[in-house]
Amino acid sequence: MQQSPPPSPRSDGLVLTGGRVLGPDGWAGAVGVRDGVVTAIGDPAAVRGATGSGARVVDVSGRWVVPGLADGHCHFEDAAMDAHAVPLRDARTVADALDRIAAFAAGRPDGEWIRGQTWNPVLQLAQQRPPTRTELDSAAAGRPVLLHEGHGGTASSAALRRAGIDPAGHGGHLDRADADRVAAVVPPWTPAQRRAQIRDAMRLLNSHGITSVVAGAMTPADLAVVRAVADDGGATVRVAAMVVPTGALNPEVDRDRWRELLAGGPPGPTPWTSVRGVKLQIDGGMTLGTAHTRDDYPGRSGYRGGTVVDAARLRTLVRIAHDCGWPVGVHVVGDAAVDLALDVLGGGAPGRLPDVLIHASLMTRDQMLRARGSGVVVAAQAPFLWRNGRAIAGHLGEDALRRAVPFRDWLDVLGPDRVCAGTDHPINALDPFPNMYLMRTRRDVTGADVGAGQRITAAEALGLYTASVAAHTGRPDRGRITVGADADLTVVDRDPLDDDPAALLGTSVELTVVAGRVVHERTPAATA
């Protein structure tokens, strides 16, 4: 794949012609852009005239031009970390993972931290377990190692000692609290490293056609880096952040400190950055067997998952956030967790975006009706079903799998402006098109049915990745190709509205445009 150099801060204009442009009245012949906004859509000659002289005219050679894609929940800031942390996403055995750790550690100074990219060893590895503490000790030759697993992690003996945890008798596997404790002693990246990582992550998103993203749990430090990259003209993705003020979900701070952290409300938006809310968490996950449910798990009498925060503390944290002007996004998966969230969340006050149920994978129709009345919205991710259907059914049963991630019901009850789609990358793959295929077919990577009753249409699937995320972030001027809208565009080699959803698989992103600038080119485009 050949990519263009980093874009310049300005654009003298751009015309995309020779393909099919998804405008407000259906497919058109061309689109013109100047000063970061769409100037014209329709007949190629008329579009060229309306865009003015000096514009770059690109022949997209029969490709399809759609609104810039947006991921409604993604931990994107660590999406391009192969040079900085061990890539474990494709590991399939414990031995494979240990070999990668050993190769990464080789040649690095004694005592240097070895970090792993987020993965799920229980689902990925044939042994259905992460490496042990002693295995990590051997692979990394005694260096401190921390491997992140989303809601926990694994650490070596040296890492445990540095965090004040006695390794004796400890297998190395960490719950969320201990994982946060170890992470707190890992040296931060230098400012130069973090800027490079953020820029690389943005370019990776651009290669998938993504022009906007809701960062699922961003620290204030990383938000500052994103803003600095934008100020320097290097941003290529618009970022709306769910902020984690202390770097840890459900922080163990008293109410006065929490109020102090949120005082003054979220920072104001810029063309490239905004704050979607403050992030909290109630339960675990379907694939982990820790989602908090109304009923017992099949075959596990008395077990209904669990919560990581009690109702009283959650209510306090949310009330203070609202008092300070912040919307709140809450990680919820099980239906009982959704009940708890709906008890404390609201639709938003004047000048504040509505509160968000993040994931809400097992939300029921009665809860959707309740959310509709309160104004609460949903940010959901279908790709949990792509490879993990058997794990979900193993924990929660076949009925739960069939009704999980119910986009059909969400669209029918809440409407497209109240629910949006994303990936939760790096927990799931970043590519939007298998996700759209899954939402349309409700068939997983093996072809198995994962809830045919929740299938949606081609237009709905594309809309959930475009206009719905724009509405979710309070920017309805994005997510559609209309005159005057921000010029965020994605050019693909297949029709995303094709009657055959299989056409989505293998879709290639040929060109990505953000704010009128070409930020990704798969191959050099013909310029007229």
Side-chain angles (χ1 to χ4, degrees):
M1 178 181 295
Q2 184 170 348
Q3 292 192 8
S4 59
S8 63
R10 295 188 53 196
S11 170
D12 291 325
L14 177 70
V15 174
L16 303 182
T17 188
R20 279 158 281 192
V21 178
L22 186 58
D25 301 317
W27 295 111
V31 58
V33 172
R34 184 168 288 280
D35 296 328
V37 299
V38 175
T39 56
I41 308 162
D43 174 76
V47 167
R48 289 193 190 201
T51 306
S53 61
R56 179 188 177 192
V57 180
V58 176
D59 183 351
V60 298
S61 304
R63 304 312 202 264
W64 286 261
V65 184
V66 299
L69 303 181
D71 191 317
H73 182 81
C74 174
H75 304 277
F76 89 97
E77 55 271 37
D78 292 327
M81 296 289 289
D82 285 3
H84 306 276
V86 186
L88 296 166
R89 57 188 171 273
D90 298 323
R92 292 293 175 259
T93 66
V94 170
D96 182 15
L98 293 171
D99 286 345
R100 293 174 187 227
I101 293 164
F104 192 89
R108 293 177 184 265
D110 291 343
E112 180 175 310
W113 278 87
I114 307 299
R115 312 175 220 214
Q117 297 179 32
T118 301
W119 66 327
N120 193 327
V122 173
L123 295 178
Q124 283 181 226
L125 304 185
Q127 294 84 358
Q128 298 183 321
R129 67 168 179 86
T132 65
R133 169 179 62 82
T134 55
E135 288 171 334
L136 293 179
D137 293 345
S138 177
R143 295 174 179 82
V145 180
L146 175 61
L147 308 182
H148 287 285
E149 299 169 20
H151 296 170
T154 313
S156 66
S157 299
L160 292 171
R161 282 193 292 269
R162 292 194 187 191
I165 301 172
D166 185 359
H170 196 299
H173 194 256
L174 310 170
D175 61 18
R176 177 136 221 167
D178 278 347
D180 288 343
R181 186 174 170 186
V182 176
V185 299
V186 179
W189 303 113
T190 67
Q193 285 175 320
R194 200 58 180 146
R195 285 194 186 200
Q197 291 163 3
I198 293 290
R199 285 194 297 267
D200 288 347
M202 287 181 171
R203 301 310 294 276
L204 178 62
L205 266 63
N206 296 152
S207 73
H208 287 287
I210 297 171
T211 62
S212 297
V213 65
V214 179
M218 179 166 273
T219 65
D222 274 348
L223 179 57
V225 172
V226 170
R227 291 195 164 210
V229 169
D231 290 343
D232 290 344
T236 61
V237 172
R238 303 184 195 270
V239 177
M242 295 297 311
V243 176
V244 183
T246 67
L249 297 174
N250 305 340
E252 295 182 2
V253 294
D254 63 31
R255 66 182 64 195
D256 291 338
R257 176 57 178 156
W258 182 241
R259 188 178 295 276
E260 180 183 337
L261 288 167
L262 301 183
T270 74
W272 290 96
T273 65
S274 63
V275 170
R276 182 58 187 85
V278 63
K279 173 77 175 287
L280 299 170
Q281 178 183 0
I282 290 180
D283 65 344
M286 296 187 295
T287 59
L288 301 171
T290 51
H292 183 38
T293 55
R294 290 170 169 175
D295 300 320
D296 293 351
Y297 278 49
R300 301 181 67 179
S301 179
Y303 180 75
R304 299 185 177 186
T307 62
V308 295
V309 63
D310 64 63
R313 178 159 178 76
L314 178 69
R315 190 177 298 277
T316 296
L317 295 174
V318 170
R319 185 183 67 250
I320 292 171
H322 286 172
D323 288 346
C324 294
W326 291 73
V328 177
V330 180
H331 168 118
V332 290
V333 175
D335 47 10
V338 173
D339 283 333
L340 179 54
L342 290 173
D343 286 343
V344 300
L345 299 183
R352 193 186 81 211
L353 290 169
D355 292 337
V356 190
L357 299 175
I358 298 171
H359 311 309
S361 304
L362 296 172
M363 192 175 186
T364 60
R365 200 173 180 90
D366 66 290
Q367 292 172 326
M368 296 174 204
L369 293 168
R370 187 178 173 195
R372 185 172 70 184
S374 68
V376 172
V377 301
V378 174
Q381 304 82 42
F384 285 109
L385 308 176
W386 185 240
R387 296 186 183 276
N388 301 328
R390 289 302 89 209
I392 294 168
H395 289 303
L396 294 157
E398 295 291 341
D399 179 66
L401 173 61
R402 285 190 294 269
R403 66 180 180 84
V405 198
F407 272 110
R408 177 72 274 148
D409 287 347
W410 278 322
L411 286 168
D412 290 345
V413 176
L414 296 177
D417 288 346
R418 300 277 301 280
V419 58
C420 67
T423 59
D424 201 19
H425 179 81
I427 302 300
N428 301 305
L430 191 59
D431 188 348
F433 296 100
N435 194 7
M436 293 183 203
Y437 167 85
L438 174 61
M439 290 190 288
R440 288 176 59 181
T441 65
R442 294 294 291 213
R443 293 195 175 277
D444 68 10
V445 67
T446 71
D449 180 352
V450 286
Q454 292 298 329
R455 286 186 295 224
I456 64 175
T457 69
E460 287 170 335
L462 180 61
L464 285 165
Y465 251 101
T466 53
S468 291
V469 182
H472 179 68
T473 55
R475 292 304 304 260
D477 52 326
R478 298 173 184 159
R480 293 180 176 87
I481 304 177
T482 59
V483 172
D486 284 334
D488 299 350
L489 309 168
T490 300
V491 182
V492 293
D493 67 342
R494 308 179 190 196
D495 180 0
L497 302 181
D498 193 294
D499 289 340
D500 180 7
L504 289 164
L505 300 176
T507 295
S508 173
V509 174
E510 303 293 317
L511 199 76
T512 306
V513 177
V514 186
R517 296 181 287 154
V518 174
V519 297
H520 163 78
E521 289 183 85
R522 184 171 181 269
T523 56
T527 300

